[in-house]
Amino acid sequence: MPQVAARITHDHEQWLKNYFKTKSAGAEFILPWAVDMFFKSMRAVAEELNVQELKTVLEAYRGVKILPNQCKGAYLYLRIEEACEIENVHVTHGVSRANLEAKLKRLSDVHSTALMIWASAYWVSKVWNGVSLEEYIKLTCS
């Protein structure tokens, strides 16, 4: 099995040691579960948001670094609100700002976090370099 070197907090390390036989055993369980939850959440988000709205979210996350302590719906909402207000990203993609914001408010923190990770990944992953927004959405949200 491939090795992954992830940086975790002391509290996370203790949690893994307390709930599993070893820290590695816990990580081997949690990591695949987290990936599965990410894709399940993104499928749910893709049912809620249309392609133009997803493009708007992608544009809003250009050059934005997300931090673990910011993985909540409120942070997603604030980022989209700022991108719409300052950069008019919703206008670029023909999206109603009010409708998009209403949909974002209905998302759970888990769905919001998945959406933020998904949007950031487009801009930082070498895999998606040169892939259009539409193609990224098609390939990752189907």
Side-chain angles (χ1 to χ4, degrees):
M1 186 176 284
Q3 295 287 318
V4 175
R7 287 173 274 166
I8 59 174
T9 67
H10 175 72
D11 289 344
H12 289 137
E13 181 178 12
Q14 282 306 119
W15 183 88
L16 288 170
K17 288 178 180 177
N18 292 340
Y19 280 83
F20 298 92
K21 217 173 207 181
T22 66
K23 178 174 59 172
S24 294
E28 288 173 5
F29 176 81
I30 294 294
L31 188 57
W33 173 82
V35 171
D36 290 345
M37 285 300 298
F38 168 79
F39 286 110
K40 181 180 177 184
S41 295
M42 277 310 301
R43 283 191 300 275
V45 168
E47 289 177 9
E48 181 70 24
L49 302 179
N50 65 41
V51 171
Q52 299 311 108
E53 291 164 337
L54 289 168
K55 284 183 185 179
T56 301
V57 172
L58 282 170
E59 290 285 356
Y61 274 85
R62 181 192 305 252
V64 174
K65 181 178 179 180
I66 59 172
L67 301 172
N69 63 342
Q70 297 174 337
C71 290
K72 299 204 181 321
Y75 285 97
L76 171 67
Y77 183 83
L78 286 172
R79 177 66 206 133
I80 301 302
E81 182 180 48
E82 180 181 337
C84 288
E85 195 169 297
I86 296 170
E87 303 163 34
N88 288 315
V89 293
H90 64 296
V91 174
T92 304
H93 297 292
V95 169
S96 162
R97 181 176 170 179
N99 287 343
L100 176 59
E101 289 176 350
K103 289 180 180 183
L104 294 176
K105 283 184 177 179
R106 289 195 298 264
L107 297 178
S108 70
D109 282 343
V110 171
H111 291 141
S112 296
T113 298
L115 185 56
M116 287 186 277
I117 292 168
W118 173 83
S120 294
Y122 176 76
W123 300 107
V124 299
S125 174
K126 293 175 185 168
V127 172
W128 304 114
N129 190 18
V131 174
S132 71
L133 298 178
E134 293 87 3
E135 192 68 13
Y136 180 66
I137 292 166
K138 180 181 169 188
L139 293 170
T140 60
C141 293
S142 300

